[in-house]
Short mmCIF file of all heavy atoms in Angstrom, two decimals:
data_model
loop_
_atom_site.label_atom_id
_atom_site.label_comp_id
_atom_site.label_asym_id
_atom_site.label_seq_id
_atom_site.Cartn_x
_atom_site.Cartn_y
_atom_site.Cartn_z
N SER Z 1 0.36 15.27 -6.17
CA SER Z 1 0.43 16.71 -6.07
C SER Z 1 1.55 17.28 -5.18
O SER Z 1 2.01 18.35 -5.21
CB SER Z 1 -0.89 17.22 -5.47
OG SER Z 1 -1.20 16.74 -4.28
N THR Z 2 2.04 16.38 -4.16
CA THR Z 2 3.05 16.80 -3.20
C THR Z 2 4.34 15.97 -3.32
O THR Z 2 5.36 16.43 -2.74
CB THR Z 2 2.48 16.79 -1.71
OG1 THR Z 2 2.32 15.26 -1.46
CG2 THR Z 2 1.17 17.55 -1.60
N GLY Z 3 4.25 14.85 -3.92
CA GLY Z 3 5.37 13.94 -3.88
C GLY Z 3 5.65 13.13 -2.55
O GLY Z 3 6.52 12.43 -2.41
N ARG Z 4 4.61 13.48 -1.58
CA ARG Z 4 4.87 12.74 -0.32
C ARG Z 4 4.58 11.31 -0.33
O ARG Z 4 3.65 10.93 -1.06
CB ARG Z 4 3.77 13.48 0.64
CG ARG Z 4 3.72 12.86 2.01
CD ARG Z 4 2.63 13.62 2.97
NE ARG Z 4 1.51 13.88 2.34
CZ ARG Z 4 0.38 13.04 2.21
NH1 ARG Z 4 0.44 12.00 2.70
NH2 ARG Z 4 -0.76 13.48 1.58
N GLU Z 5 5.26 10.56 0.30
CA GLU Z 5 5.22 9.07 0.39
C GLU Z 5 4.15 8.71 1.47
O GLU Z 5 4.25 9.15 2.54
CB GLU Z 5 6.46 8.32 0.40
CG GLU Z 5 6.26 6.78 0.58
CD GLU Z 5 7.60 6.16 0.59
OE1 GLU Z 5 8.62 6.69 0.92
OE2 GLU Z 5 7.53 4.88 0.38
N GLU Z 6 3.33 7.84 1.07
CA GLU Z 6 2.38 7.31 2.07
C GLU Z 6 2.86 5.86 2.34
O GLU Z 6 3.31 5.26 1.37
CB GLU Z 6 0.89 7.15 1.43
CG GLU Z 6 0.05 8.41 1.47
CD GLU Z 6 -0.35 8.97 2.79
OE1 GLU Z 6 -0.45 8.14 3.74
OE2 GLU Z 6 -0.34 10.08 2.89
N LYS Z 7 2.95 5.43 3.58
CA LYS Z 7 3.55 4.14 3.98
C LYS Z 7 2.40 3.40 4.73
O LYS Z 7 2.43 3.17 5.93
CB LYS Z 7 4.72 4.40 4.83
CG LYS Z 7 5.78 5.11 4.09
CD LYS Z 7 7.04 5.35 4.89
CE LYS Z 7 8.04 6.06 4.16
NZ LYS Z 7 9.36 6.05 4.81
N PRO Z 8 1.53 2.78 3.95
CA PRO Z 8 0.40 2.00 4.57
C PRO Z 8 0.94 0.64 5.02
O PRO Z 8 2.01 0.12 4.29
CB PRO Z 8 -0.59 1.88 3.40
CG PRO Z 8 0.10 1.89 2.22
CD PRO Z 8 1.33 2.85 2.53
N SER Z 9 0.33 -0.16 5.92
CA SER Z 9 0.82 -1.38 6.11
C SER Z 9 0.13 -2.36 5.19
O SER Z 9 -0.80 -1.96 4.34
CB SER Z 9 0.27 -1.80 7.66
OG SER Z 9 -1.17 -1.88 7.66
N GLY Z 10 0.74 -3.47 4.97
CA GLY Z 10 0.31 -4.49 3.86
C GLY Z 10 0.80 -4.10 2.50
O GLY Z 10 0.20 -4.36 1.55
N ASP Z 11 1.85 -3.33 2.54
CA ASP Z 11 2.30 -2.82 1.04
C ASP Z 11 3.34 -3.81 0.45
O ASP Z 11 3.96 -3.34 -0.38
CB ASP Z 11 2.85 -1.48 1.22
CG ASP Z 11 4.15 -1.38 1.99
OD1 ASP Z 11 4.49 -2.31 2.69
OD2 ASP Z 11 4.88 -0.29 2.02
N THR Z 12 3.25 -4.97 0.84
CA THR Z 12 4.05 -5.97 0.10
C THR Z 12 3.09 -7.08 -0.28
O THR Z 12 2.30 -7.67 0.54
CB THR Z 12 5.15 -6.54 1.05
OG1 THR Z 12 5.95 -5.53 1.47
CG2 THR Z 12 6.13 -7.65 0.40
N THR Z 13 3.38 -7.76 -1.38
CA THR Z 13 2.49 -8.81 -1.77
C THR Z 13 2.68 -10.16 -1.08
O THR Z 13 3.86 -10.34 -0.49
CB THR Z 13 2.71 -9.27 -3.39
OG1 THR Z 13 3.94 -9.43 -3.57
CG2 THR Z 13 2.28 -7.99 -4.23
N ASP Z 14 1.61 -10.92 -1.02
CA ASP Z 14 1.66 -12.13 -0.18
C ASP Z 14 2.34 -13.21 -1.04
O ASP Z 14 2.49 -12.99 -2.26
CB ASP Z 14 0.39 -12.52 0.40
CG ASP Z 14 -0.83 -12.87 -0.56
OD1 ASP Z 14 -0.46 -13.07 -1.70
OD2 ASP Z 14 -1.88 -12.91 -0.19
N ILE Z 15 2.19 -14.35 -0.61
CA ILE Z 15 2.81 -15.49 -1.29
C ILE Z 15 2.05 -15.79 -2.70
O ILE Z 15 2.69 -16.38 -3.64
CB ILE Z 15 2.72 -16.92 -0.44
CG1 ILE Z 15 3.44 -18.05 -1.01
CG2 ILE Z 15 1.17 -17.31 -0.25
CD1 ILE Z 15 4.93 -17.83 -0.94
N ASN Z 16 0.82 -15.34 -2.86
CA ASN Z 16 0.10 -15.46 -4.19
C ASN Z 16 0.07 -14.13 -4.97
O ASN Z 16 -0.66 -14.13 -5.97
CB ASN Z 16 -1.36 -16.00 -3.94
CG ASN Z 16 -1.42 -17.30 -3.21
OD1 ASN Z 16 -0.63 -18.22 -3.78
ND2 ASN Z 16 -1.95 -17.55 -2.10
N GLY Z 17 0.76 -13.09 -4.55
CA GLY Z 17 0.87 -11.96 -5.21
C GLY Z 17 -0.19 -10.94 -4.94
O GLY Z 17 -0.17 -9.85 -5.45
N PHE Z 18 -0.99 -11.18 -3.81
CA PHE Z 18 -2.13 -10.21 -3.49
C PHE Z 18 -1.64 -9.23 -2.53
O PHE Z 18 -0.78 -9.50 -1.69
CB PHE Z 18 -3.29 -10.95 -2.93
CG PHE Z 18 -4.11 -11.77 -3.93
CD1 PHE Z 18 -3.83 -13.16 -4.04
CD2 PHE Z 18 -4.99 -11.22 -4.79
CE1 PHE Z 18 -4.56 -13.92 -4.97
CE2 PHE Z 18 -5.67 -12.05 -5.75
CZ PHE Z 18 -5.38 -13.27 -5.82
N TYR Z 19 -2.25 -8.02 -2.55
CA TYR Z 19 -1.91 -6.92 -1.64
C TYR Z 19 -3.29 -6.27 -1.36
O TYR Z 19 -4.17 -6.39 -2.21
CB TYR Z 19 -0.82 -5.93 -1.95
CG TYR Z 19 -1.36 -5.10 -3.17
CD1 TYR Z 19 -1.98 -3.99 -3.16
CD2 TYR Z 19 -1.10 -5.72 -4.53
CE1 TYR Z 19 -2.38 -3.32 -4.31
CE2 TYR Z 19 -1.47 -5.06 -5.76
CZ TYR Z 19 -2.10 -3.81 -5.55
OH TYR Z 19 -2.49 -3.24 -6.69
N SER Z 20 -3.30 -5.52 -0.20
CA SER Z 20 -4.53 -4.73 0.17
C SER Z 20 -4.02 -3.72 1.21
O SER Z 20 -3.40 -3.98 2.25
CB SER Z 20 -5.58 -5.56 0.78
OG SER Z 20 -6.70 -4.75 1.08
N VAL Z 21 -4.16 -2.51 0.73
CA VAL Z 21 -3.75 -1.25 1.65
C VAL Z 21 -4.85 -0.29 1.84
O VAL Z 21 -5.81 -0.28 1.01
CB VAL Z 21 -2.62 -0.46 0.99
CG1 VAL Z 21 -1.34 -1.52 1.01
CG2 VAL Z 21 -2.87 -0.08 -0.32
N ILE Z 22 -4.79 0.35 2.81
CA ILE Z 22 -5.64 1.50 3.10
C ILE Z 22 -5.00 2.91 3.03
O ILE Z 22 -4.01 3.10 3.60
CB ILE Z 22 -6.42 1.36 4.52
CG1 ILE Z 22 -7.04 0.03 4.68
CG2 ILE Z 22 -7.28 2.67 4.87
CD1 ILE Z 22 -7.59 -0.30 6.00
N LEU Z 23 -5.48 3.69 2.10
CA LEU Z 23 -4.91 5.00 1.86
C LEU Z 23 -5.79 6.16 1.89
O LEU Z 23 -7.11 5.80 1.66
CB LEU Z 23 -4.30 4.96 0.31
CG LEU Z 23 -3.18 3.95 0.16
CD1 LEU Z 23 -2.94 3.80 -1.26
CD2 LEU Z 23 -1.93 4.54 0.73
N PRO Z 24 -5.50 7.40 2.20
CA PRO Z 24 -6.34 8.52 2.11
C PRO Z 24 -6.71 8.83 0.70
O PRO Z 24 -5.89 8.55 -0.24
CB PRO Z 24 -5.43 9.66 2.79
CG PRO Z 24 -4.37 9.09 3.27
CD PRO Z 24 -4.16 7.67 2.85
N PRO Z 25 -7.89 9.18 0.35
CA PRO Z 25 -8.28 9.52 -0.93
C PRO Z 25 -7.35 10.59 -1.66
O PRO Z 25 -7.21 11.70 -1.06
CB PRO Z 25 -9.75 10.05 -0.93
CG PRO Z 25 -10.23 9.57 0.37
CD PRO Z 25 -8.98 9.45 1.23
#
C-alpha cells in the first residue's frame, strides 16, 4: 500500500536456504 521497505533482521538465507523474519502484519 505504501511502497515502504521493511528491514527485518534475518532477511538472508542460511547455509541450507532457510530464513525467518518478524514483520508487522
Side-chain angles (χ1 to χ4, degrees):
S1 63
T2 64
R4 177 179 42 88
E5 182 178 10
E6 287 288 336
K7 297 183 180 188
S9 62
D11 66 345
T12 302
T13 58
D14 68 14
I15 192 76
N16 296 308
F18 290 99
Y19 63 91
S20 184
V21 296
I22 298 173
L23 294 162

